[in-house]
Amino acid sequence: MKKIFLGGLLKHCRGRLFINCATVSPATHVWVEQKCEKKGAQSLEACMASSINQARAGTLYLMCGGKREAFDRVQPLLVKLSDEGKLLRYIGGAGQAASVKALVNMVMNINTAGLAEGLGLGAALGLDLKVLMEVFSQTGANSRVLVTDGEDMVNRDHACFFSASHAA
């Protein structure tokens, strides 16, 4: 990120607003905002709690951090990317949206691991995994991960769109 911004992006940036969707640390978003402000530009972090399919459909869940003025300036664009704004949240200052995204990912990864373990054990016990998923969906075992990833897990075709280092 530092190479991108210091390597020329900020040379002629006065009056511009950068929307940063990169999965980076909260401190990096704060650093970017500070560098932009020194050059007369603005930045906004727009962290996504979505994946490739939602990006293609215009249904990204966007959590934004930075100056409220920057958010307001680009809100019409963000609304179009987030199911007409239904999935758009202003979280607070720079770095705060990245913090929330990290927490979302932590809970999601815990749910994903738990679902995989439950389905794997169910398969080892010879249970009907379709029935097991139905029971999960109607009890305290339900989660968004069950809806988005359960069938792929049962079919052993579960693709991951982020690296283990991002999860860490």
Side-chain angles (χ1 to χ4, degrees):
M1 192 62 50
K2 291 181 180 184
K3 285 182 182 179
I4 292 170
F5 278 91
L6 296 178
L9 192 62
L10 294 177
K11 284 184 181 172
H12 305 287
C13 68
R14 183 166 297 283
R16 297 203 177 164
L17 192 154
F18 298 97
I19 302 172
N20 190 348
C21 297
T23 300
V24 295
S25 71
T28 299
H29 284 292
V30 171
W31 180 90
V32 167
E33 182 180 78
Q34 291 168 348
K35 293 299 179 191
C36 287
E37 287 178 351
K38 285 182 182 176
K39 296 288 189 172
Q42 293 178 298
S43 71
L44 183 74
E45 65 190 281
C47 300
M48 299 176 281
S50 307
S51 196
I52 292 169
N53 294 334
Q54 291 82 19
R56 290 178 179 144
T59 58
L60 290 171
Y61 194 100
L62 294 174
M63 301 165 286
C64 298
K67 300 276 192 291
R68 182 67 196 220
E69 174 192 331
F71 175 79
D72 291 342
R73 183 175 163 190
V74 295
Q75 190 171 2
L77 170 64
L78 299 173
V79 163
K80 290 187 183 302
L81 296 171
S82 61
D83 197 14
E84 297 306 315
K86 292 181 221 137
L87 304 173
L88 177 62
R89 301 291 176 268
Y90 176 74
I91 303 298
Q96 291 186 339
S99 294
V100 171
K101 178 178 177 156
L103 294 169
V104 167
N105 285 349
M106 178 191 75
V107 172
M108 180 188 66
N109 290 334
I110 291 167
N111 287 338
T112 301
L115 178 59
E117 289 291 330
L119 291 172
L121 184 54
L125 294 171
L127 298 175
D128 181 329
L129 296 184
K130 296 284 185 188
V131 171
L132 183 59
M133 283 183 31
E134 182 180 324
V135 171
F136 282 174
S137 74
Q138 297 169 347
T139 64
N142 194 17
S143 72
R144 183 80 183 126
V145 174
L146 177 64
V147 174
T148 60
D149 299 354
E151 190 172 326
D152 288 346
M153 287 182 182
V154 168
N155 295 330
R156 300 208 176 266
D157 185 27
H158 185 249
C160 184
F161 297 113
F162 62 90
S163 68
S165 64
H166 277 141

